Amino acid sequence: MRLKIDVELDYDIDGATDMLLLVQAAAMADQQLEYDNLLISSNEPLRAMPGADDVGVRCWALAENRFHATYQAVVIIDRDDVALASLGDTAPRLLPPETVPYLMPSRYCESDQFQGFLEQTFAGLRGGALAAALTEWVGDHLTYTSGSSTGATTALMTFANRQGVCRDYAHLLVALARAGGIPARCVSAYAPGVEPPDFHAVAELWLEGAWRLVDATGMGSARDLVRIAVGRDATDIAFMTTFGAATLNQQQIVVERIDQ
């Protein structure tokens, strides 16, 4: 699978503002960058550093009055969908050290609040069987509704409201998986067919020795998702963080399949 990615960000800035950008497709074993070009207006040289878990690139810029960025890439994805239910369980004590933080509650994923719900609804399920059941439950019980949540919406709030956008689906699935003893992290991604076209948020669950991409919205699949960044929740994977006021002029994300 080859995907072509085209991004434009245009904002008015109040004075001089530090900007942290996470928009570049991550170079990884299962997604190779055939072409990759990021252009950012900045009053100082850009400063790049590795993203969380060494996935992707964080890029610092200094914007004044106006911030404009374009990003183009062609990515080759070498990854198949995996039937989650076929994957086994790993006891927490046997997990790799780097996955253990993703068992814990975080700001937007209050996994400790879902223990009772899991015990009542998914009793007896572990590992991949639990992951598959949780993904199906989130997809069946949430309604995708643009504008139904804010930057302050947490997994517990989404669970109560039963609606949200992609980040809410990801937060809820991640929180439920952690409550069930499955390390889970949030992923910002590019994917074709996302409506409305935008940066997409999905989950990754650690099962049988690897991170498995899961999109509870059903809009994407493991074989056509391009990771940008990973982290505990939306705090770590936001495409742009401004340390000052910014007003949107235009934002466009286009992701197209070049071939299958």
Side-chain angles (χ1 to χ4, degrees):
M1 172 80 70
R2 292 170 72 235
L3 295 183
K4 179 182 179 183
I5 298 163
D6 198 333
V7 177
E8 181 178 9
L9 306 174
D10 189 1
Y11 287 78
D12 285 332
I13 304 298
D14 185 9
T17 299
D18 288 324
M19 313 281 288
L20 179 60
L21 212 61
L22 277 166
V23 301
Q24 292 173 266
M28 304 179 71
D30 59 357
Q31 54 182 58
Q32 302 167 28
L33 305 186
E34 184 177 296
Y35 175 77
D36 176 71
N37 186 49
L38 174 66
L39 294 175
I40 299 178
S41 59
S42 177
N43 290 352
E44 292 184 359
L46 303 180
R47 183 176 174 226
M49 61 187 64
D53 297 343
D54 288 326
V55 176
V57 179
R58 293 186 174 107
C59 190
W60 284 100
L62 176 63
E64 187 169 359
N65 301 322
R66 184 85 176 274
F67 176 77
H68 185 261
T70 60
Y71 176 65
Q72 290 84 36
V74 174
V75 183
I76 303 171
I77 302 173
D78 183 16
R79 183 191 315 122
D80 292 323
D81 290 321
V82 175
L84 295 180
S86 69
L87 302 176
D89 179 37
T90 302
R93 69 184 184 279
L94 302 177
L95 289 168
E98 64 271 17
T99 69
V100 173
Y102 295 110
L103 283 173
M104 309 305 175
S106 60
R107 176 181 177 183
Y108 293 107
C109 300
E110 314 101 319
S111 52
D112 54 323
Q113 301 298 309
F114 290 97
Q115 295 288 345
F117 172 70
L118 256 73
E119 290 171 4
Q120 293 175 3
T121 311
F122 302 97
L125 295 181
R126 300 293 299 172
L130 176 60
L134 293 175
T135 302
E136 182 178 5
W137 190 94
V138 173
D140 288 346
H141 288 80
L142 296 190
T143 300
Y144 194 99
T145 309
S146 296
S148 61
S149 62
T150 71
T153 301
T154 69
L156 198 59
M157 295 163 68
T158 299
F159 179 78
N161 296 334
R162 299 296 167 96
Q163 61 181 342
V165 295
C166 60
R167 78 169 237 160
D168 303 308
Y169 279 69
H171 280 160
L172 183 53
L173 178 56
V174 163
L176 291 171
R178 291 176 185 172
I182 301 171
R185 64 188 185 185
C186 289
V187 182
S188 59
Y190 292 114
V194 172
E195 288 295 336
D198 205 344
F199 295 101
H200 198 40
V202 299
E204 269 192 318
L205 311 183
W206 182 267
L207 294 163
E208 275 199 15
W211 289 108
R212 314 290 180 171
L213 282 163
V214 183
D215 185 358
T217 71
M219 288 191 284
S221 68
R223 64 186 301 270
D224 61 8
L225 290 167
V226 174
R227 297 183 200 86
I228 303 170
V230 303
R232 298 161 297 172
D233 52 38
T235 305
D236 296 332
I237 64 171
F239 74 91
M240 186 174 75
T241 303
T242 64
F243 293 81
T247 303
L248 173 66
N249 292 323
Q250 177 176 298
Q251 180 171 301
Q252 178 174 283
I253 296 91
V254 178
V255 183
E256 300 174 310
R257 294 183 180 89
I258 299 176
D259 52 36
Q260 299 297 321

